[in-house]
Short mmCIF file of all heavy atoms in Angstrom, two decimals:
data_model
loop_
_atom_site.label_atom_id
_atom_site.label_comp_id
_atom_site.label_asym_id
_atom_site.label_seq_id
_atom_site.Cartn_x
_atom_site.Cartn_y
_atom_site.Cartn_z
N ARG A 12 8.50 -8.25 1.21
CA ARG A 12 8.41 -7.92 2.56
C ARG A 12 8.52 -6.51 2.88
O ARG A 12 7.73 -5.98 3.81
CB ARG A 12 9.54 -8.76 3.19
CG ARG A 12 9.66 -8.82 4.70
CD ARG A 12 10.54 -9.74 5.31
NE ARG A 12 11.98 -9.22 5.17
CZ ARG A 12 12.80 -9.91 4.26
NH1 ARG A 12 12.37 -10.93 3.54
NH2 ARG A 12 13.99 -9.49 4.13
N LYS A 13 9.43 -5.74 2.22
CA LYS A 13 9.39 -4.33 2.45
C LYS A 13 8.10 -3.56 1.95
O LYS A 13 7.58 -2.58 2.61
CB LYS A 13 10.56 -3.70 1.71
CG LYS A 13 11.96 -4.22 2.22
CD LYS A 13 12.13 -3.82 3.69
CE LYS A 13 13.47 -4.21 4.35
NZ LYS A 13 13.54 -3.99 5.69
N TYR A 14 7.49 -4.13 0.88
CA TYR A 14 6.28 -3.62 0.40
C TYR A 14 5.21 -3.79 1.48
O TYR A 14 4.34 -2.85 1.72
CB TYR A 14 5.82 -4.31 -0.88
CG TYR A 14 4.51 -3.88 -1.32
CD1 TYR A 14 4.35 -2.89 -2.34
CD2 TYR A 14 3.28 -4.48 -0.90
CE1 TYR A 14 3.09 -2.43 -2.85
CE2 TYR A 14 2.08 -4.13 -1.50
CZ TYR A 14 1.98 -3.18 -2.36
OH TYR A 14 0.72 -2.77 -2.76
N PHE A 15 5.12 -4.94 2.03
CA PHE A 15 4.17 -5.16 3.13
C PHE A 15 4.28 -4.28 4.33
O PHE A 15 3.25 -3.73 4.79
CB PHE A 15 4.35 -6.59 3.58
CG PHE A 15 3.37 -7.12 4.56
CD1 PHE A 15 2.20 -7.61 4.11
CD2 PHE A 15 3.60 -7.03 5.92
CE1 PHE A 15 1.19 -8.05 5.08
CE2 PHE A 15 2.62 -7.39 6.84
CZ PHE A 15 1.33 -7.90 6.47
N ASP A 16 5.52 -4.02 4.64
CA ASP A 16 5.75 -3.08 5.79
C ASP A 16 5.41 -1.71 5.49
O ASP A 16 4.84 -1.02 6.39
CB ASP A 16 7.20 -3.15 6.22
CG ASP A 16 7.74 -4.56 6.77
OD1 ASP A 16 6.85 -5.21 7.15
OD2 ASP A 16 8.93 -4.86 6.80
N ARG A 17 5.66 -1.15 4.31
CA ARG A 17 5.49 0.20 3.92
C ARG A 17 4.09 0.56 3.35
O ARG A 17 3.59 1.53 3.78
CB ARG A 17 6.53 0.68 2.94
CG ARG A 17 7.91 0.89 3.48
CD ARG A 17 7.87 2.32 4.04
NE ARG A 17 9.20 2.80 4.54
CZ ARG A 17 9.35 3.94 5.14
NH1 ARG A 17 8.35 4.82 5.32
NH2 ARG A 17 10.57 4.21 5.65
N ILE A 18 3.62 -0.38 2.59
CA ILE A 18 2.43 0.03 1.77
C ILE A 18 1.19 -0.46 2.44
O ILE A 18 0.08 0.18 2.35
CB ILE A 18 2.58 -0.48 0.33
CG1 ILE A 18 3.82 0.04 -0.26
CG2 ILE A 18 1.36 0.11 -0.46
CD1 ILE A 18 4.18 1.53 -0.11
N THR A 19 1.15 -1.70 2.93
CA THR A 19 -0.22 -2.22 3.50
C THR A 19 -0.81 -1.46 4.63
O THR A 19 -1.96 -1.53 4.85
CB THR A 19 -0.04 -3.65 3.90
OG1 THR A 19 1.00 -3.78 4.93
CG2 THR A 19 0.30 -4.54 2.71
N PRO A 20 -0.02 -0.66 5.40
CA PRO A 20 -0.71 0.13 6.56
C PRO A 20 -1.75 1.06 5.92
O PRO A 20 -2.64 1.42 6.58
CB PRO A 20 0.37 0.83 7.09
CG PRO A 20 1.56 -0.06 7.04
CD PRO A 20 1.47 -0.55 5.62
N PHE A 21 -1.62 1.64 4.70
CA PHE A 21 -2.55 2.56 4.24
C PHE A 21 -3.34 2.02 2.96
O PHE A 21 -4.06 2.83 2.28
CB PHE A 21 -1.81 3.89 3.73
CG PHE A 21 -0.84 3.91 2.73
CD1 PHE A 21 -1.24 3.83 1.39
CD2 PHE A 21 0.58 3.72 3.07
CE1 PHE A 21 -0.30 3.73 0.43
CE2 PHE A 21 1.51 3.60 2.08
CZ PHE A 21 1.06 3.66 0.70
N SER A 22 -3.13 0.83 2.59
CA SER A 22 -3.87 0.29 1.41
C SER A 22 -4.03 -1.26 1.55
O SER A 22 -3.56 -1.90 2.42
CB SER A 22 -3.06 0.55 0.17
OG SER A 22 -1.88 -0.35 0.22
N GLU A 23 -5.00 -1.75 0.65
CA GLU A 23 -5.24 -3.08 0.49
C GLU A 23 -4.80 -3.45 -1.01
O GLU A 23 -5.21 -2.93 -1.93
CB GLU A 23 -6.66 -3.41 0.60
CG GLU A 23 -6.99 -4.97 0.44
CD GLU A 23 -8.50 -5.24 0.47
OE1 GLU A 23 -9.34 -4.37 0.07
OE2 GLU A 23 -8.93 -6.40 0.76
N THR A 24 -3.94 -4.49 -1.09
CA THR A 24 -3.48 -4.93 -2.34
C THR A 24 -4.27 -6.03 -2.94
O THR A 24 -4.49 -7.10 -2.18
CB THR A 24 -1.97 -5.43 -2.24
OG1 THR A 24 -1.10 -4.40 -1.75
CG2 THR A 24 -1.48 -5.94 -3.65
N LEU A 25 -4.94 -5.80 -4.05
CA LEU A 25 -5.89 -6.74 -4.67
C LEU A 25 -5.15 -7.77 -5.49
O LEU A 25 -5.62 -8.91 -5.62
CB LEU A 25 -6.96 -6.03 -5.36
CG LEU A 25 -7.76 -4.85 -4.61
CD1 LEU A 25 -8.65 -4.19 -5.57
CD2 LEU A 25 -8.40 -5.53 -3.57
N ALA A 26 -4.02 -7.34 -6.12
CA ALA A 26 -3.29 -8.24 -6.97
C ALA A 26 -1.92 -7.72 -7.26
O ALA A 26 -1.78 -6.52 -7.15
CB ALA A 26 -3.86 -8.47 -8.30
N PHE A 27 -0.94 -8.54 -7.52
CA PHE A 27 0.38 -8.12 -7.86
C PHE A 27 1.10 -9.08 -8.82
O PHE A 27 0.67 -10.19 -8.91
CB PHE A 27 1.21 -7.91 -6.58
CG PHE A 27 1.60 -9.13 -5.78
CD1 PHE A 27 2.68 -9.85 -6.26
CD2 PHE A 27 0.86 -9.62 -4.78
CE1 PHE A 27 3.07 -10.99 -5.57
CE2 PHE A 27 1.24 -10.90 -4.17
CZ PHE A 27 2.24 -11.57 -4.52
N CYS A 28 2.09 -8.62 -9.47
CA CYS A 28 2.94 -9.48 -10.28
C CYS A 28 4.29 -8.74 -10.38
O CYS A 28 4.46 -7.60 -10.77
CB CYS A 28 2.36 -9.60 -11.68
SG CYS A 28 3.31 -10.64 -12.71
N LEU A 29 5.28 -9.48 -10.03
CA LEU A 29 6.72 -9.08 -10.13
C LEU A 29 7.37 -9.85 -11.25
O LEU A 29 7.29 -11.14 -11.30
CB LEU A 29 7.43 -9.32 -8.85
CG LEU A 29 6.80 -8.81 -7.44
CD1 LEU A 29 7.81 -9.12 -6.36
CD2 LEU A 29 6.49 -7.30 -7.62
N LEU A 30 8.00 -9.18 -12.06
CA LEU A 30 8.65 -9.81 -13.33
C LEU A 30 10.22 -9.37 -13.14
O LEU A 30 10.49 -8.45 -12.39
CB LEU A 30 8.17 -9.38 -14.61
CG LEU A 30 6.73 -9.71 -14.90
CD1 LEU A 30 6.20 -9.07 -16.24
CD2 LEU A 30 6.55 -11.12 -14.93
N PRO A 31 11.08 -10.02 -13.73
CA PRO A 31 12.60 -9.73 -13.64
C PRO A 31 12.81 -8.30 -13.74
O PRO A 31 13.78 -7.67 -13.07
CB PRO A 31 13.26 -10.58 -14.72
CG PRO A 31 12.39 -11.84 -14.75
CD PRO A 31 10.97 -11.17 -14.58
N ASP A 32 12.20 -7.58 -14.72
CA ASP A 32 12.61 -6.15 -14.89
C ASP A 32 11.42 -5.14 -14.56
O ASP A 32 11.54 -3.89 -14.93
CB ASP A 32 13.00 -6.00 -16.31
CG ASP A 32 11.91 -6.34 -17.29
OD1 ASP A 32 10.87 -6.82 -17.01
OD2 ASP A 32 12.09 -6.00 -18.48
N GLN A 33 10.42 -5.57 -13.85
CA GLN A 33 9.23 -4.70 -13.61
C GLN A 33 8.44 -5.19 -12.52
O GLN A 33 8.41 -6.35 -12.11
CB GLN A 33 8.43 -4.49 -14.93
CG GLN A 33 7.73 -5.75 -15.43
CD GLN A 33 7.22 -5.56 -16.91
OE1 GLN A 33 6.06 -5.36 -16.98
NE2 GLN A 33 8.09 -5.75 -17.84
N PHE A 34 7.49 -4.32 -12.01
CA PHE A 34 6.61 -4.73 -10.94
C PHE A 34 5.18 -4.09 -11.12
O PHE A 34 5.18 -3.04 -11.82
CB PHE A 34 7.11 -4.39 -9.47
CG PHE A 34 7.34 -2.96 -9.22
CD1 PHE A 34 6.14 -2.13 -9.01
CD2 PHE A 34 8.58 -2.39 -9.20
CE1 PHE A 34 6.39 -0.80 -8.75
CE2 PHE A 34 8.78 -1.15 -8.95
CZ PHE A 34 7.67 -0.21 -8.73
N HIS A 35 4.20 -4.81 -10.75
CA HIS A 35 2.79 -4.30 -10.99
C HIS A 35 1.99 -4.56 -9.65
O HIS A 35 2.10 -5.72 -9.12
CB HIS A 35 2.13 -4.93 -12.14
CG HIS A 35 2.79 -4.65 -13.41
ND1 HIS A 35 2.39 -3.63 -14.24
CD2 HIS A 35 3.87 -5.37 -13.90
CE1 HIS A 35 3.16 -3.73 -15.37
NE2 HIS A 35 4.06 -4.73 -15.21
N PHE A 36 1.25 -3.64 -9.14
CA PHE A 36 0.36 -3.82 -7.98
C PHE A 36 -0.92 -3.15 -8.24
O PHE A 36 -1.01 -2.08 -9.02
CB PHE A 36 0.96 -3.08 -6.75
CG PHE A 36 2.19 -3.77 -6.24
CD1 PHE A 36 3.44 -3.25 -6.51
CD2 PHE A 36 2.11 -4.86 -5.33
CE1 PHE A 36 4.66 -3.92 -6.08
CE2 PHE A 36 3.27 -5.47 -4.87
CZ PHE A 36 4.47 -4.95 -5.21
N ILE A 37 -1.99 -3.83 -7.93
CA ILE A 37 -3.36 -3.25 -7.97
C ILE A 37 -3.79 -3.00 -6.55
O ILE A 37 -3.88 -4.04 -5.83
CB ILE A 37 -4.36 -4.08 -8.74
CG1 ILE A 37 -3.90 -4.20 -10.25
CG2 ILE A 37 -5.79 -3.46 -8.61
CD1 ILE A 37 -4.85 -5.21 -11.08
N LEU A 38 -4.02 -1.87 -6.13
CA LEU A 38 -4.25 -1.62 -4.66
C LEU A 38 -5.43 -0.53 -4.57
O LEU A 38 -5.67 0.29 -5.44
CB LEU A 38 -3.00 -1.10 -3.97
CG LEU A 38 -2.22 0.19 -4.45
CD1 LEU A 38 -2.88 1.37 -3.86
CD2 LEU A 38 -0.77 0.00 -4.17
N ARG A 39 -6.07 -0.67 -3.34
CA ARG A 39 -7.12 0.34 -2.92
C ARG A 39 -6.53 1.05 -1.81
O ARG A 39 -6.16 0.51 -0.77
CB ARG A 39 -8.41 -0.44 -2.66
CG ARG A 39 -9.48 0.53 -2.14
CD ARG A 39 -10.79 -0.17 -1.82
NE ARG A 39 -11.41 -0.94 -2.84
CZ ARG A 39 -11.50 -2.18 -3.02
NH1 ARG A 39 -10.91 -2.99 -2.16
NH2 ARG A 39 -12.12 -2.73 -4.17
N ILE A 40 -6.54 2.37 -1.89
CA ILE A 40 -6.15 3.23 -0.77
C ILE A 40 -7.27 3.21 0.25
O ILE A 40 -8.37 3.24 -0.08
CB ILE A 40 -5.92 4.70 -1.24
CG1 ILE A 40 -4.91 4.75 -2.43
CG2 ILE A 40 -5.40 5.55 -0.13
CD1 ILE A 40 -3.54 4.29 -2.12
N LYS A 41 -6.86 3.19 1.49
CA LYS A 41 -7.88 3.08 2.54
C LYS A 41 -8.71 4.37 2.59
O LYS A 41 -8.37 5.38 1.90
CB LYS A 41 -7.24 3.07 3.90
CG LYS A 41 -6.60 1.59 4.09
CD LYS A 41 -6.12 1.29 5.45
CE LYS A 41 -5.49 -0.03 5.68
NZ LYS A 41 -4.96 -0.25 7.01
N ASN A 42 -9.87 4.40 3.30
CA ASN A 42 -10.74 5.68 3.28
C ASN A 42 -10.15 6.72 4.16
O ASN A 42 -9.20 6.54 4.85
CB ASN A 42 -12.24 5.14 3.71
CG ASN A 42 -12.16 4.75 5.14
OD1 ASN A 42 -11.54 5.11 6.08
ND2 ASN A 42 -12.96 3.56 5.34
N ASN A 43 -10.80 7.93 3.94
CA ASN A 43 -10.26 9.14 4.78
C ASN A 43 -10.22 8.94 6.13
O ASN A 43 -9.29 9.34 6.84
CB ASN A 43 -11.12 10.36 4.29
CG ASN A 43 -10.73 11.02 3.10
OD1 ASN A 43 -9.69 11.36 2.88
ND2 ASN A 43 -11.69 11.16 2.08
N ARG A 44 -11.16 8.32 6.76
CA ARG A 44 -11.25 8.06 8.21
C ARG A 44 -10.01 7.32 8.64
O ARG A 44 -9.31 7.67 9.64
CB ARG A 44 -12.46 7.39 8.65
CG ARG A 44 -12.58 7.21 10.17
CD ARG A 44 -13.86 6.44 10.61
NE ARG A 44 -15.06 7.27 10.36
CZ ARG A 44 -16.24 6.89 10.53
NH1 ARG A 44 -16.48 5.73 10.99
NH2 ARG A 44 -17.23 7.81 10.39
N ALA A 45 -9.74 6.24 7.99
CA ALA A 45 -8.56 5.42 8.35
C ALA A 45 -7.22 6.16 8.08
O ALA A 45 -6.35 6.06 8.96
CB ALA A 45 -8.52 4.05 7.42
N LEU A 46 -7.15 6.89 6.96
CA LEU A 46 -5.83 7.62 6.77
C LEU A 46 -5.68 8.74 7.74
O LEU A 46 -4.58 8.95 8.18
CB LEU A 46 -5.82 8.17 5.31
CG LEU A 46 -5.95 7.13 4.23
CD1 LEU A 46 -5.99 7.85 2.85
CD2 LEU A 46 -4.77 6.27 4.24
N THR A 47 -6.83 9.48 8.13
CA THR A 47 -6.69 10.58 9.02
C THR A 47 -6.31 10.00 10.46
O THR A 47 -5.60 10.64 11.23
CB THR A 47 -8.06 11.44 9.16
OG1 THR A 47 -8.35 11.80 7.80
CG2 THR A 47 -7.92 12.47 10.15
N SER A 48 -6.91 8.86 10.86
CA SER A 48 -6.59 8.21 12.02
C SER A 48 -5.13 7.84 12.22
O SER A 48 -4.40 8.00 13.23
CB SER A 48 -7.42 6.99 12.30
OG SER A 48 -7.11 6.31 13.50
N MET A 49 -4.56 7.34 11.03
CA MET A 49 -3.16 6.89 11.03
C MET A 49 -2.19 8.02 10.89
O MET A 49 -1.13 8.03 11.53
CB MET A 49 -3.02 5.86 9.80
CG MET A 49 -1.60 5.38 9.66
SD MET A 49 -1.49 4.12 8.34
CE MET A 49 -2.08 5.03 6.97
N TRP A 50 -2.58 9.05 9.96
CA TRP A 50 -1.55 10.07 9.68
C TRP A 50 -1.94 11.46 10.24
O TRP A 50 -1.37 12.41 9.77
CB TRP A 50 -1.49 10.14 8.14
CG TRP A 50 -0.64 9.07 7.57
CD1 TRP A 50 0.45 8.43 8.09
CD2 TRP A 50 -0.64 8.64 6.15
NE1 TRP A 50 1.03 7.61 7.15
CE2 TRP A 50 0.33 7.63 6.05
CE3 TRP A 50 -1.47 8.94 5.02
CZ2 TRP A 50 0.55 7.04 4.75
CZ3 TRP A 50 -1.29 8.32 3.86
CH2 TRP A 50 -0.24 7.34 3.75
N GLY A 51 -2.94 11.47 11.09
CA GLY A 51 -3.44 12.81 11.50
C GLY A 51 -2.27 13.99 12.00
O GLY A 51 -2.27 14.95 11.33
N PRO A 52 -1.42 13.48 12.89
CA PRO A 52 -0.23 14.39 13.20
C PRO A 52 0.59 14.81 11.92
O PRO A 52 1.05 15.99 11.78
CB PRO A 52 0.60 13.68 14.23
CG PRO A 52 -0.39 12.73 14.80
CD PRO A 52 -1.33 12.29 13.58
N LYS A 53 0.92 13.84 11.04
CA LYS A 53 1.72 14.13 9.89
C LYS A 53 0.97 15.06 8.91
O LYS A 53 1.53 15.98 8.34
CB LYS A 53 2.04 12.82 9.07
CG LYS A 53 3.05 11.96 9.79
CD LYS A 53 3.40 10.81 8.94
CE LYS A 53 4.50 9.90 9.58
NZ LYS A 53 4.86 8.79 8.78
N ILE A 54 -0.29 14.91 8.81
CA ILE A 54 -1.13 15.78 7.89
C ILE A 54 -1.13 17.17 8.46
O ILE A 54 -0.90 18.16 7.69
CB ILE A 54 -2.64 15.30 7.88
CG1 ILE A 54 -2.61 13.97 7.02
CG2 ILE A 54 -3.44 16.35 7.18
CD1 ILE A 54 -3.93 13.23 7.10
#
């Protein structure tokens, strides 16, 4: 749930696996236009 809130705004998660002692995500970062639109002031 926290991952969804924090990470999905700037990426698309293609697959994931959480194990008791580790986590794995395969994700695609959004394109420059989307990131600039979202983070322009921060950049």
